[in-house]
Amino acid sequence: MSGTTLLKETGPREVFCGLTSIVWLHRRMPDAFFLVVGSRTCAHLIQSAAGVMIFAEPRFGTAILEERDLAGLADAHEELDRVVKNLLKRRPEIRTLFLVGSCPSEVIKIDLARAAERLTTQFNGQVTILNYSGSGIETTFTQGEDGALKALVPLMPSSKEDKLLLAGTLANPVEDRLKTIFNRLGIKNIDSFPPRQSTELPSIGPGTKVLLAQPYLTDTARELKNRGCEILQAPFPLGVEGSKLWIEAAANAFNINKDLVSSTLEPLILRAQKALKPYVEQLSGKKLFLLPESQLEIPLARFLSNECGMELVEVGIPYLNREMMRPELDLLPENTRIIEGQHVEKQLDRVRETNPDLVVCGMGLANPLEAEGISTKWSIEMVFSPIHGIDQASDLAELFARPLHRHNLLTQKELEAI
Ligand code: SF4
């Protein structure tokens, strides 16, 4: 591990909960439905986070359990059964139903695993009913995907065939592009997890080599390993450097000729570096502070520092999986300050003290910081944007250059008005 400074911090947090990941999971698996078992607050969160979907019939909903349902647990179970029954009657196309737990105390008392089992039997195989927690007490927003995928692993058929499994939701065009590159290298048997239909779960087993596309799949990776899969060690496919090493990790695992790998990747790298240039000019030398939220902070910090020349003030991360992050940590500049966990007040004090040019943070913190004249980037944008792979490196850099450009324009206008 490089000479990074790893520190821990606990205290008040300001992050979205795991329910948020429903917003991209329901797009990925259109035959699945996500039923949040929660309060009105949960319903509001999911509706506002997914507000962009108003034109499509949503594939998520909330079974709202309130005080009156607390009269007895039997009532809560009855209420849940009633909601599920109505939902499946109205939407017979649903093939997988996720019951997503939340943090209100009335929900914590319900054994959703048992409810899922009971309902699966009741619906006699017509639909698979699973559960996971999206509770804000236990999860930050990307951990919701980890929970959903972990719940799916036991349903994946067994197989001994050699294959590459890309784990973690990617934008469909990005995933297609990455598969094309692997095909060119001669890796033809590739599956994705989650699949594009919840019923088309890939088979896994001792011949499966897993390349994690997202850094927040700790539990899923452990479950896949327990099923005999090999988890490949690599940085994550953000930026040219990370994506190259990520692809090379798979190529090594499949014994692909190194010359073929470099002749395939070299033109892509040259093109991506050329496209990156204007953004490097804007970002180079700028001070960056990442507050913990998405779990993508370390790969982003590595990209923005190594390829865009930004100076890392502090890299916050909700939790640090050292094993999974080792290849990333090795690439960070010496003495990068990494803080695991959060004490939001202390972090905001450090932001003000260090006066960075750009802060990557959650939506709740962005507005107050902007009001103080500090440029921000919402970390949630990273999970909605197609940012993975060599070809996407300049688009990724542009996401960070944009708020700086905006800040410059506003400052210029203010100066002109004086
Ligand atoms: S799960 Fe908890 S943190 Fe998330 S919206 Fe519901 S009440 Fe809020």
Side-chain angles (χ1 to χ4, degrees):
M1 206 175 286
S2 74
T4 46
T5 310
L6 303 176
L7 301 165
K8 269 198 181 201
E9 194 163 64
T10 52
R13 298 189 304 157
E14 173 70 47
V15 291
F16 275 142
C17 65
L19 297 187
T20 322
S21 50
I22 292 171
V23 179
W24 64 90
L25 285 171
H26 88 278
R27 287 189 210 169
R28 173 69 183 185
M29 294 181 283
D31 62 342
F33 193 98
F34 295 82
L35 184 67
V36 176
V37 184
S39 63
R40 287 193 192 281
T41 311
C42 308
H44 287 144
L45 170 100
I46 197 74
Q47 278 300 339
S48 37
V52 284
M53 292 301 291
I54 50 168
F55 299 113
E57 179 158 21
R59 290 180 295 273
F60 53 82
T62 311
I64 295 171
L65 298 181
E66 292 179 303
E67 293 288 318
R68 65 185 169 79
D69 300 311
L70 274 176
L73 271 184
D75 292 354
H77 279 285
E78 265 169 37
E79 174 66 2
L80 185 60
D81 287 11
R82 189 189 62 76
V83 172
V84 169
K85 212 166 152 192
N86 285 349
L87 171 70
L88 294 177
K89 198 168 157 203
R90 199 167 51 83
R91 304 283 296 273
E93 75 281 7
I94 296 171
R95 297 273 68 94
T96 306
L97 172 63
F98 290 94
L99 303 177
V100 191
S102 59
C103 45
S105 55
E106 51 267 46
V107 176
I108 291 171
K109 288 181 200 144
I110 304 175
D111 185 344
L112 282 182
R114 267 189 42 216
E117 257 175 51
R118 187 185 66 243
L119 286 161
T120 300
T121 317
Q122 211 168 310
F123 288 94
N124 210 11
Q126 174 204 341
V127 50
T128 303
I129 303 179
L130 300 168
N131 78 291
Y132 69 91
S133 172
S135 154
I137 298 168
E138 301 164 66
T139 61
T140 62
F141 77 92
T142 47
Q143 277 176 289
E145 174 166 348
D146 196 17
L149 298 196
K150 183 187 166 194
L152 285 170
V153 174
L155 306 182
M156 296 167 90
S158 296
S159 128
K160 286 189 176 142
E161 60 178 339
D162 286 340
K163 66 161 65 171
L164 178 63
L165 183 73
L166 305 180
T169 302
L170 289 166
N172 289 354
V174 168
E175 181 186 276
D176 291 339
R177 175 76 181 135
L178 291 168
K179 283 185 175 174
T180 305
I181 296 172
F182 285 123
N183 282 336
R184 279 194 211 151
L185 297 178
I187 305 172
K188 307 275 186 196
N189 196 1
I190 313 171
D191 278 322
S192 304
F193 183 52
R196 294 185 190 185
Q197 294 293 328
S198 68
T199 45
E200 292 171 5
L201 288 170
S203 58
I204 49 168
T208 309
K209 298 185 192 326
V210 180
L211 203 46
L212 295 171
Q214 301 286 8
Y216 42 75
L217 300 177
T218 300
D219 290 349
T220 305
R222 193 182 311 116
E223 294 296 311
L224 290 169
K225 212 169 159 184
N226 290 343
R227 291 282 305 272
C229 303
E230 181 190 351
I231 312 292
L232 301 178
Q233 282 282 305
F236 293 91
L238 296 182
V240 175
E241 182 187 35
S243 306
K244 175 179 176 282
L245 292 168
W246 186 78
I247 294 169
E248 283 176 353
N252 284 341
F254 284 85
N255 294 320
I256 307 294
N257 179 296
K258 287 197 169 20
D259 292 341
L260 174 62
V261 178
S262 41
S263 65
T264 306
L265 298 187
E266 205 52 39
L268 308 182
I269 292 171
L270 290 175
R271 195 173 60 196
Q273 284 169 339
K274 199 170 160 201
L276 256 178
K277 252 192 173 159
Y279 303 114
V280 175
E281 276 163 28
Q282 293 173 52
L283 295 170
S284 186
K286 297 284 191 298
K287 290 201 288 180
L288 177 70
F289 200 119
L290 295 109
L291 290 170
E293 195 181 49
S294 68
Q295 202 58 24
L296 287 158
E297 290 84 3
I298 291 182
L300 287 174
R302 182 257 304 150
F303 165 68
L304 290 164
S305 158
N306 296 1
E307 294 180 57
C308 302
M310 292 190 89
E311 186 191 319
L312 303 176
V313 180
E314 183 172 309
V315 183
I317 184 161
Y319 62 93
L320 181 62
N321 180 332
R322 284 164 202 245
E323 185 64 21
M324 200 180 267
M325 279 295 168
R326 191 173 307 262
E328 286 287 349
L329 293 171
D330 287 344
L331 295 171
L332 283 174
E334 285 287 308
N335 301 323
T336 301
R337 184 181 157 87
I338 297 176
I339 308 267
E340 179 185 10
Q342 185 172 40
H343 187 304
V344 69
E345 301 299 339
K346 288 184 183 170
Q347 267 168 341
L348 288 176
D349 285 347
R350 293 198 294 275
V351 167
R352 290 175 188 122
E353 265 164 38
T354 51
N355 194 26
D357 296 288
L358 185 65
V359 176
V360 178
C361 60
M363 288 163 83
L365 295 176
N367 277 352
L369 287 173
E370 288 279 343
E372 291 179 33
I374 298 171
S375 291
T376 59
K377 174 84 260 125
W378 294 347
S379 42
I380 199 166
E381 269 189 76
M382 306 306 141
V383 289
F384 292 123
S385 311
I387 56 171
H388 296 77
I390 297 173
D391 303 308
Q392 308 297 326
S394 62
D395 289 350
L396 180 57
E398 198 265 343
L399 285 178
F400 296 91
R402 206 184 300 160
L404 292 179
H405 181 62
R406 186 174 151 270
H407 184 81
N408 284 346
L409 287 179
L410 286 173
T411 318
Q412 250 172 31
K413 272 199 177 157
E414 276 162 23
L415 285 175
E416 281 164 17
I418 293 172

